[in-house]
Amino acid sequence: MLRSVCLGGLLLLSGCASLPFGGSSSESQYQRGWVSLEQDQYYLRGCQDLAAQPVERIPAHLQRLFRQRGVSAPLYIEWIGEPGMAGEPTQIDQLRYVSPDPGACRQHLSGILMRAEGPSPGWQADITDSQIRVFLPQQRRTLVFPVGSVIRQGSDWWWENDIQGRQRRHRLSLRIQPEACQDGHNWYGLTAVMELDGQEYTGCAKRGSLERLALFREYRLDPSVTTRDIRLQLLPDGKAMLSEDYLNQQPPLVSRGQWQLLSGGRLLVSLDEPDPQLQQEALLFMIQEGGAVQLPGFHPRYGRDGLRLHATGTRMPWESGRRLVP
């Protein structure tokens, strides 16, 4: 049974964690990156960051985890905390996921708000904005339930619904609880209990839709450029604004539109209301390490090297969706 367990083995922690869904304050956000320990000093590096920043305070059970592992390799973590500006240290308030997997930053769970899964027998439930997709690999069966209403009981979240199958009616109850859970080498801050057609399945849960955590709310041209100031602002609701100030005592040229994340680490900024002097309709940026976005190749306004903007704002918050509140 994985429900409400205290952890053993590689990820043995002292006691069971009780972690609420929300952050410690209205400014807290969901984040991801790497924690390392060097000469009794902890360092934190976001998935898109080039350099690690020292962290003064991390949860006590994460400190115990480093001591128990006895190795110096960094750990991938997802956490809730107050985000710093680009390149600034942040704060870890509540752990949500810990893994030694070196490729964890490349796993985004695109389009999935929450994934719950467990062994014995194996199962997986992916919660999206509109449906819960249940996969039972041993039975080679997939069932898709509408999300329907979400029930909140204390700190627990509970989904219930039923659908008509070819031969019978299927009933689903899925509950996610803020309690520690272990799945092989990984530690989770959420426990999942699913009941499907009268059979109970237990496991762990974590958030998905992690691509936008690579974005920041504002980007600008390198301050060393003294001929103009270009800024790109991205709002959590998908709106975007591009301004170009030529530092000639004239108002900046401003275009407004929408932004969208595409596959392969691409950011599409569509300017629905371009400034007539800019005459631009869409810009396709590549998201780079270090928090920058690069408009590659030749551009008639920016030359053969395109346009490179550096992150200067705070990180983009996680997208909770219409029906799932973080």
Side-chain angles (χ1 to χ4, degrees), residues 1-15:
M1 294 287 289
L2 292 175
R3 187 193 308 177
S4 307
V5 295
C6 296
L7 306 185
L10 174 64
L11 293 181
L12 178 65
L13 302 181
S14 297

Side-chain angles (χ1 to χ4, degrees), residues 57-296:
R57 181 175 62 86
I58 67 171
H61 44 286
L62 183 56
Q63 298 181 36
R64 289 193 292 269
L65 176 56
F66 269 98
R67 291 196 298 267
Q68 291 160 4
R69 294 177 73 227
V71 295
S72 59
L75 283 173
Y76 168 84
I77 68 170
E78 296 174 13
W79 76 95
I80 291 176
E82 295 185 14
M85 299 290 287
E88 294 181 356
T90 188
Q91 180 175 309
I92 302 173
D93 293 330
Q94 300 169 12
L95 281 178
R96 282 295 182 264
Y97 180 66
V98 182
S99 175
D101 183 0
C105 272
R106 298 190 295 271
Q107 300 170 9
H108 304 300
L109 298 182
S110 302
I112 300 169
L113 296 178
M114 186 79 70
R115 168 168 287 178
E117 58 186 345
S120 304
W123 66 280
Q124 183 180 94
D126 289 338
I127 304 172
T128 72
D129 194 47
S130 60
Q131 66 183 25
I132 301 177
R133 187 179 184 89
V134 178
F135 177 52
L136 303 172
Q138 294 180 356
Q139 302 179 24
R140 298 182 180 179
R141 184 169 56 148
T142 299
L143 299 173
V144 179
F145 295 82
V147 165
S149 61
V150 183
I151 302 171
R152 181 73 183 267
Q153 291 190 345
S155 298
D156 297 357
W157 292 87
W158 195 353
W159 293 261
E160 285 191 333
N161 217 327
D162 57 89
I163 58 172
Q164 180 61 50
R166 292 182 179 180
Q167 300 178 347
R168 59 173 296 183
R169 194 159 191 86
H170 300 285
R171 178 74 178 172
L172 171 71
S173 173
L174 177 61
R175 192 167 193 154
I176 295 181
Q177 304 168 303
E179 298 178 353
C181 181
Q182 181 184 4
D183 178 8
H185 298 298
N186 306 318
W187 179 92
Y188 298 73
L190 300 173
T191 293
V193 179
M194 181 180 74
E195 185 174 320
L196 179 64
D197 298 335
Q199 181 175 354
E200 185 177 273
Y201 301 79
T202 58
C204 309
K206 71 179 297 293
R207 297 191 195 186
S209 292
L210 302 177
E211 306 98 318
R212 65 184 281 158
L213 299 185
L215 295 176
F216 290 78
R217 298 192 191 209
E218 182 175 279
Y219 299 83
R220 65 177 298 183
L221 200 63
D222 193 297
S224 62
V225 179
T226 58
T227 56
R228 58 184 172 180
D229 181 15
I230 300 178
R231 302 193 183 200
L232 173 64
Q233 293 183 348
L234 307 178
L235 299 181
D237 62 1
K239 295 180 181 179
M241 184 177 72
L242 177 71
S243 68
E244 295 194 22
D245 188 349
Y246 286 85
L247 309 177
N248 55 3
Q249 299 183 344
Q250 297 296 318
L253 306 178
V254 178
S255 298
R256 293 178 172 82
Q258 308 287 325
W259 65 267
Q260 180 182 3
L261 271 175
L262 304 179
S263 61
R266 297 174 298 167
L267 172 66
L268 176 63
V269 179
S270 302
L271 302 173
D272 304 326
E273 302 176 14
D275 188 291
Q277 298 186 55
L278 292 178
Q279 297 181 346
Q280 297 179 137
E281 295 183 356
L283 299 172
L284 184 60
F285 292 93
M286 298 298 297
I287 303 173
Q288 300 186 326
E289 288 188 341
V293 292
Q294 174 76 42
L295 184 67

